[in-house]
């Protein structure tokens, strides 16, 4: 299976790798895993409490090239979006952008799950109810 | 889904009488050996061949602790995608991965991975034993759900072991 140029680019130059201070109220942390392959992904957002705009996003993924590229792309897309806009990011957008083959679609699902988990962590920290998940937490 | 326990005439249990299971498998395999049924119609022969293949699958599934446990889990309708792992577990996995990334696979880390992996495996097998010990269906299902969690945890350690 050949990776697309975009996947290779994100894999070789991952954007926004790192950590944000998870003890801060403005920071939401999402931690998800894919038992099928043992991949783990941490994705964090830092939100402006006034405007609800995501100021910064960081990730760290231990997994295959597609999982790394999916989360790297996700952090790029998250920056500058409001939390509500971020919720609209669909895993199929990631699939399309990175030209992921069908066997790698679960990597984009993992990235979407990580986004939702980070947003929910931020919401709960700030006294809001978590957004309902589609039972894909694992 | 095919119930291999029923197919070979055994109760659904984790601890299974392996010698008796093996005997039953061999007996059925002989009975349904295609060579002994060459006089049958093509349809009947095909059915016998399929049956014979099914017995092979059943035996190879039930003879092994791990796959027998997985079969019980799936027979009880537990869906792998719906199992969520303990919240701290992924955090631990992230940390272990980060440690390997920064220090490489030191002997201490390899030992820790092995130790934790065997603890999860032991836990899965213990839940299998609990499945046999409890009487009520909800309790049995709960034991299998815990077993499934432990088996999923194991997969993360498989990856850590393979990683350089």
């Amino acid at each position: 299976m050949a990776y697309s140029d975009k996947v290779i680019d994100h894999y070789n130059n991952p954007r926004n790798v790192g950590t944000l201070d998870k003890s801060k109220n403005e920071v939401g942390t999402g931690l998800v895993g894919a038992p099928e392959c043992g991949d783990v992904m941490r994705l964090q957002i830092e939100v402006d409490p006034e405007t609800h705009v995501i100021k910064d996003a960081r990730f760290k993924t231990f997994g295959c090239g597609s999982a790394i590229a999916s989360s790297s792309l996700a952090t790029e897309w998250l920056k500058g979006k409001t939390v509500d806009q971020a919720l609209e990011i669909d895993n199929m957008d990631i699939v399309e952008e990175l030209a992921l083959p069908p066997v790698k679609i679960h990597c984009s699902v993992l990235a979407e799950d990580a986004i939702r988990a980070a947003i929910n962590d931020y919401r709960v920290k700030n006294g809001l109810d978590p957004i309902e998940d589609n039972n894909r937490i694992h | 889904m095919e119930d291999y326990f029923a197919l070979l005439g055994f109760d659904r249990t984790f601890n299974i009488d392996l010698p008796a299971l093996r005997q039953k498998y061999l007996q059925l395999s002989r009975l349904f050996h295609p060579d002994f049924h060459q006089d049958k119609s093509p349809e009947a022969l095909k059915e016998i061949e399929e049956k014979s293949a099914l017995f092979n699958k059943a035996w190879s599934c039930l003879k092994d602790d791990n796959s027998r446990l997985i079969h019980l889990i799936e027979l009880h309708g537990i869906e792998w995608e719906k199992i969520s792992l303990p919240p701290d577990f992924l955090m631990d996995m992230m940390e272990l991965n980060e440690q390997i990334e920064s220090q490489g696979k030191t002997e201490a880390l390899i030992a820790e991975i092995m130790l934790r992996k065997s603890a999860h495996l032991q836990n899965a097998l213990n839940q299998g034993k609990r499945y046999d010990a409890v009487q009520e269906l909800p309790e049995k299902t709960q034991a299998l759900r815990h077993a499934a969690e432990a088996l999923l945890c194991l997969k993360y350690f498989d990856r850590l072991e393979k990683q350089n």
Side-chain angles (χ1 to χ4, degrees):
Chain A
M1 183 201 65
Y3 280 130
S4 70
D5 290 344
K6 279 180 181 160
V7 171
I8 292 168
D9 180 37
H10 276 281
Y11 182 76
N12 289 330
N13 311 293
R15 332 288 200 260
N16 311 310
V17 173
T19 45
L20 299 169
D21 181 359
K22 69 174 176 192
S23 64
K24 282 166 80 177
N25 260 353
E26 307 88 82
V27 172
T29 302
L31 194 57
V32 293
E36 311 89 66
C37 40
D39 288 1
V40 267
M41 183 182 286
R42 182 185 58 220
L43 192 146
Q44 296 179 296
I45 51 169
E46 184 166 2
V47 182
D48 183 325
E50 302 294 317
T51 59
H52 303 294
V53 168
I54 296 169
K55 294 189 294 188
D56 202 357
R58 293 292 156 97
F59 86 98
K60 181 74 199 177
T61 294
F62 294 95
C64 67
S66 306
I68 291 169
S70 295
S71 37
S72 171
L73 176 68
T75 56
E76 275 195 321
W77 281 357
L78 285 169
K79 285 199 215 180
K81 281 195 167 63
T82 65
V83 174
D84 286 343
Q85 288 168 338
L87 276 172
E88 284 165 23
I89 296 176
D90 186 85
N91 80 289
M92 289 316 286
D93 301 335
I94 297 172
V95 170
E96 203 175 311
E97 174 70 17
L98 296 175
L100 295 179
V103 291
K104 290 293 179 181
I105 288 179
H106 70 274
C107 300
S108 67
V109 173
L110 202 60
E112 190 193 312
D113 287 351
I115 294 173
R116 297 181 81 87
I119 290 173
N120 276 339
D121 183 52
Y122 168 77
R123 287 179 63 93
V124 170
K125 268 182 175 173
N126 291 279
L128 297 164
D129 287 333
I131 308 283
E132 280 298 309
D133 218 344
N134 325 333
N135 271 327
R136 280 196 315 226
I137 3 142
H138 50 185
Chain B
M1 97 180 270
E2 191 74 49
D3 181 342
Y4 292 147
F5 293 96
L7 184 77
L8 297 183
F10 280 74
D11 288 337
R12 287 184 187 178
T13 56
F14 174 65
N15 271 321
I16 201 162
D17 183 346
L18 275 178
L21 184 76
R22 185 169 183 275
Q23 205 175 4
K24 188 66 184 280
Y25 159 67
L26 292 176
Q27 191 191 351
L28 285 166
S29 298
R30 242 186 325 267
L31 231 77
F32 285 82
H33 198 297
D35 286 3
F36 302 144
H37 298 276
Q38 291 302 321
D39 53 336
K40 300 272 164 57
S41 70
E43 294 80 33
L45 190 61
K46 191 167 171 273
E47 212 168 288
I48 282 164
E49 281 170 354
E50 280 170 4
K51 210 76 189 190
S52 175
L54 207 53
F55 293 140
N56 284 324
K57 274 194 200 159
W59 164 247
S60 65
C61 169
L62 295 186
K63 71 177 177 184
D64 171 72
D65 282 352
N66 216 16
S67 54
R68 185 167 62 252
L69 189 55
I70 290 171
H71 190 50
L72 281 170
I73 288 167
E74 290 173 353
L75 280 177
H76 281 259
I78 292 166
E79 293 173 72
W80 296 100
E81 324 60 86
K82 291 203 176 152
I83 291 173
S84 48
L85 296 178
D88 294 340
F89 177 76
L90 284 175
M91 203 102 79
D92 284 356
M93 285 301 96
M94 202 75 205
E95 273 168 26
L96 262 176
N97 272 294
E98 279 172 336
Q99 280 175 328
I100 292 174
E101 190 182 54
S102 63
Q103 313 164 17
K105 261 194 182 169
T106 60
E107 268 178 42
L109 280 174
I110 292 172
E112 192 188 335
I113 291 168
M114 271 177 61
L115 199 72
R116 293 183 57 174
K117 192 181 164 183
S118 71
H120 284 295
L121 182 62
Q122 197 53 53
N123 182 17
L125 300 180
N126 285 342
Q127 294 297 339
K129 288 178 192 148
R130 203 165 78 86
Y131 168 85
D132 289 349
V134 297
Q135 298 299 322
E136 304 296 327
L137 185 63
E139 286 176 274
K140 283 187 177 290
T141 312
Q142 198 201 29
L144 290 178
R145 198 164 283 130
H146 287 310
E149 274 175 29
L151 289 177
L152 284 185
C153 290
L154 268 179
K155 297 223 181 182
Y156 288 87
F157 287 95
D158 287 343
R159 183 181 176 279
L160 285 176
E161 277 191 336
K162 280 185 215 130
Q163 189 182 311
N164 294 315

